[in-house]
């Protein structure tokens, strides 16, 4: 299995093996450098690709799903302008979704969090700050971000969130250690819409629909207008193809709250 622990072991064994061989045969220094560079490249790619489960196991795709169900997920809300529009569309198409909320936005829009829950959707933890340097935080700082956000939601719905999605889907040893402490379930995705990068809604929609299969987890963001427009087209596509949009906890049959 390609993960951080196994890659470390393999690299260490390879390094030791080269050192032993170098006692008998001259091995250029650049060979050792290549080994380290190879380890670095694999680790960087694995850290930025949550679907690899490189540092920890995440719920990315339910390959055992035997129903035409998918999970639409939204990051970075709640947003006072766009989250209500997303909720209206979901209601109109009888669809359920999961919202990974940022703590500082929860503080500003607690009524929206309550509305998400009341309308049958699920909320998950997306850290308090969603800082651009979150990947460099140590274990305790990550724990503080997660627990602060959990406390904010608990004050609104009287429940503790158990689902967590790391910012940008990036994982590392500090996040792994923090999750072992908080005992959250890490949620990834297998369809990344790139709705925060692409500015053509048809391209975003095509990127999603061409990859839809039962058990898929779709990443969107309830923080911009283009996503709202794409969402309506996506819900139409799902309806025409007899797919049902469900919450993450329903798709994987796990608990979203404690």
């Amino acid at each position: 299995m390609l993960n951080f622990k196994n890659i470390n072991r393999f690299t260490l064994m390879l390094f030791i093996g080269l050192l032993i061989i170098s006692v008998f045969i001259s091995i250029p220094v650049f060979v050792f450098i290549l080994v380290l560079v190879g380890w670095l490249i694999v680790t960087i790619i694995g850290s930025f690709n949550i679907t690899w489960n490189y540092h920890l196991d995440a719920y990315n795709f339910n390959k055992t799903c035997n129903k035409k169900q998918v999970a639409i997920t939204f990051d970075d809300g709640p947003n006072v302008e766009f989250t209500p529009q997303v909720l209206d569309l979901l209601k109109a198409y009888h669809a359920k979704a999961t919202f990974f909320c940022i703590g500082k936005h929860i503080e500003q829009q607690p009524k929206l969090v309550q509305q998400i829950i009341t309308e049958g959707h699920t909320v998950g933890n997306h850290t308090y700050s969603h800082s651009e340097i979150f990947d460099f935080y140590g274990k305790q700082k990550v724990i503080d971000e997660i627990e602060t956000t959990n406390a904010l939601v608990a004050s609104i719905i009287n429940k503790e969130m158990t689902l967590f999605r790391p910012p940008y889907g990036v994982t590392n040893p500090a996040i792994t250690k923090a999750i072992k402490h908080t005992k959250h379930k890490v949620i990834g995705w297998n369809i990344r819409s790139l709705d925060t990068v692409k500015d053509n809604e048809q391209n975003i929609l095509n990127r999603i629909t061409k990859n839809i299969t039962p058990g898929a987890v779709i990443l969107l963001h309830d923080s911009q207008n283009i996503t709202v427009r794409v969402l309506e087209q996506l819900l139409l596509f799902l309806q025409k193809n007899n797919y049902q949009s469900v919450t993450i906890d329903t798709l994987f049959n796990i608990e979203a709250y404690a």
Side-chain angles (χ1 to χ4, degrees):
M1 183 183 295
L2 186 64
N3 59 37
F4 186 59
K5 184 181 292 185
N6 288 342
I7 287 296
N8 283 350
R9 287 174 177 170
F10 174 79
T11 302
L12 180 61
M13 290 174 61
L14 182 58
F15 209 87
I16 292 173
L18 288 171
L19 284 174
I20 293 173
I21 293 172
S22 68
V23 173
F24 306 98
I25 303 173
S26 178
I27 296 178
V29 174
F30 79 85
V31 174
F32 293 91
I33 294 174
L34 282 176
V35 171
L36 292 176
V37 170
W39 171 87
L40 182 62
I41 290 173
V42 171
T43 296
I44 289 173
I45 295 173
S47 298
F48 280 85
N49 192 339
I50 198 168
T51 60
W52 278 25
N53 291 337
Y54 188 71
H55 289 285
L56 45 74
D57 290 331
Y59 292 85
N60 301 309
F61 170 66
N62 187 352
K63 62 183 178 182
T64 65
C65 184
N66 55 14
K67 299 178 182 178
K68 295 190 77 173
Q69 293 181 333
V70 297
I72 299 176
T73 66
F74 297 94
D75 284 8
D76 298 358
N79 180 286
V80 66
E81 181 178 0
F82 301 115
T83 303
Q85 295 179 54
V86 166
L87 289 172
D88 287 345
L89 282 172
L90 293 171
K91 182 183 291 186
Y93 286 89
H94 308 288
K96 301 302 178 186
T98 304
F99 293 77
F100 289 94
C101 300
I102 297 174
K104 62 183 181 182
H105 295 166
I106 294 168
E107 283 182 322
Q108 298 167 352
Q109 303 297 332
K111 290 183 179 179
L112 272 180
V113 176
Q114 183 63 67
Q115 183 181 350
I116 291 169
I117 296 293
T118 300
E119 296 186 5
H121 308 291
T122 294
V123 293
N125 194 314
H126 201 39
T127 74
Y128 177 80
S129 67
H130 199 286
S131 171
E132 293 181 354
I133 60 170
F134 185 82
D135 312 334
F136 298 98
Y137 286 175
K139 170 189 169 183
Q140 190 56 52
K141 180 66 172 175
V142 175
I143 291 172
D144 292 343
E145 288 255 339
I146 294 173
E147 291 185 341
T148 298
T149 305
N150 254 40
L152 286 167
V153 170
S155 70
I156 299 168
I157 66 173
N158 220 18
K159 296 177 182 178
E160 288 282 340
M161 296 181 292
T162 63
L163 307 182
F164 170 73
R165 176 173 280 167
Y168 315 108
V170 176
T171 58
N172 58 39
I175 293 173
T176 301
K177 293 173 184 176
I179 292 301
K180 285 182 179 179
H181 175 84
T182 65
K183 303 188 186 307
H184 279 71
K185 304 173 187 74
V186 177
I187 310 299
W189 57 77
N190 73 310
I191 301 178
R192 188 170 195 167
S193 66
L194 296 181
D195 57 338
T196 58
V197 178
K198 293 182 178 292
D199 58 5
N200 183 299
E201 61 186 89
Q202 191 59 51
N203 288 344
I204 296 171
L205 180 65
N206 290 343
R207 180 180 173 87
I208 299 171
T209 55
K210 73 179 182 181
N211 291 304
I212 283 183
T213 57
V217 178
I218 303 163
L219 170 63
L220 290 166
H221 296 79
D222 56 328
S223 56
Q224 53 201 356
N225 191 41
I226 194 169
T227 303
V228 177
R229 300 197 304 271
V230 169
L231 176 62
E232 183 161 23
Q233 297 305 309
L234 172 59
L235 292 171
L236 276 168
F237 173 88
L238 294 176
Q239 186 180 76
K240 289 178 181 178
N241 290 275
N242 299 313
Y243 272 92
Q244 179 187 18
S245 176
V246 300
T247 59
I248 282 289
D249 43 310
T250 298
L251 185 68
F252 291 101
N253 192 27
I254 56 178
E255 295 294 329
Y257 309 105

